[in-house]
Amino acid sequence: IDDALKALEETLTTMGRADPAKVVRRMLGFQEMLRSVKTLLDERDVRALLRVWSARTGKGRGPDIKTPDDLLQAMMREGYITPGDLGELEKDMVAAGISFPVIVRDIPGVPDELQHPKTAVASIGPTGGEVEIPGFAKLTVPPGALQHDTTVTVSTLDVPGILRGPEGVSWTSGYPWSLDDAACPRELLDKVLFSPAVDVNLHGARLSGPVELQTWRPPGSEGMTCLLLKHYDGEGWMDITASTPHHIDSDVVSVSMLSFSPLSILWTPMKKVVEVGKMMVAALSSRTLNCWFSAYVHSDKDPRDVEFHVVCRDQQVKTDEYVQGFSRCGRNDARFDLYHGDMIEVSVSVREGQNRSDQMELRAAHCCDVTGQNVQMWLQRPDGKGFKGEVVIRTLRERTVCQFVFKERDYDPTNPVY
């Protein structure tokens, strides 16, 4: 592959093609994505993708496709995957419950829009309007639904990324989550399909009337029952199918909404809808975090240095006790719920001192533990004095999760505690 790409660059240069190196870099990124797909998918994932692909194209597939390499080669032969374009494969992964962002996010050079949930933003006023993530979701706001000009953000939600296990990329790789005997048989879950999950943010505005959220119906969902699961901050997930007007066409599902929070749309065998619905609500709730953050300080023997930890805990943890020798110096609650697998950035600013930041991928089990999940860093105490500053936690999309100030108490520069 490397030799072929080098030859391609030389050929493009000879032809006078503008920026041949850019073309080669794009090809290299495409090859890295294919390698990542081959490495991370297992045979169960291949069967799920093969089912969706066959339904989308209307062609039966032979039993010779068993491995990720078999599948990708077949897709490339038929032109379903083309160099630099994994768009159709990404949609099939969504339908099959496989996290495409998890697969590609550690590959250098992969565009940001592929590594994270997709987002579209528009300003909509009293005359109405639309916000669309092409190929995934569209929100239609009719005239009069908003009384003032409002920033409307529509984002996809990576449900498989929330539910997956530590070594897998599909939603069932986390099975049975923390549900044990309450989980449905895994063979039943292999039949579940997904439409894109969507979150709409009106940034504090309220609706005066219903709006319509539209997304696609997964291939192969004919004869299956649609489930609408909605998340409410601080309360968890609920099945809103019976109480929410929605319309199902051959390839589209439309949902009428009066308020917004993350919405997961899935499709399940008709006779098992109750069991799957209850289990999905429980599984998603077990991976949803109502967090609070706190900062702890530990003085080193050198009075200029401070070991500083920012800790994330779920609200079910009722104590703020931490590791011996550390004292709490600040805390605050998250502004909205977070999910297992979310990437957050923790930024620390010391007054008259340094600024530091680090990232953390949230793990539900760690956040629900007494000591929580932490980011650790060394800071310098300005001029050997007790220090204070600010902690800001954001998502990688720059949405502020939490903010608080901190202040070291009872610091004696002549007798540091350590």
Side-chain angles (χ1 to χ4, degrees), residues 105-106 112 115-116 293 308-312 338 341-348 355-363 366-367 373-377 391-399 401:
R105 71 182 178 194
D106 292 328
D112 183 67
Q115 299 183 46
H116 306 289
F293 293 85
F308 191 81
H309 292 189
V310 177
V311 181
C312 176
L338 297 166
D342 275 354
M343 293 291 297
I344 58 175
E345 183 170 65
V346 179
S347 300
V348 179
N355 299 326
R356 292 286 305 277
S357 65
D358 201 354
Q359 292 183 357
M360 175 164 57
E361 182 177 358
L362 295 180
R363 289 285 178 259
H366 295 168
C367 295
Q373 184 175 354
N374 65 49
V375 163
Q376 306 179 13
M377 57 185 71
V391 174
V392 180
I393 297 105
R394 297 184 179 92
T395 67
L396 297 190
R397 289 288 189 177
E398 297 295 321
R399 187 180 179 191
V401 175

Side-chain angles (χ1 to χ4, degrees), residues 6 248 320 383:
K6 184 177 180 180
I248 300 171
D320 62 0
D383 301 323

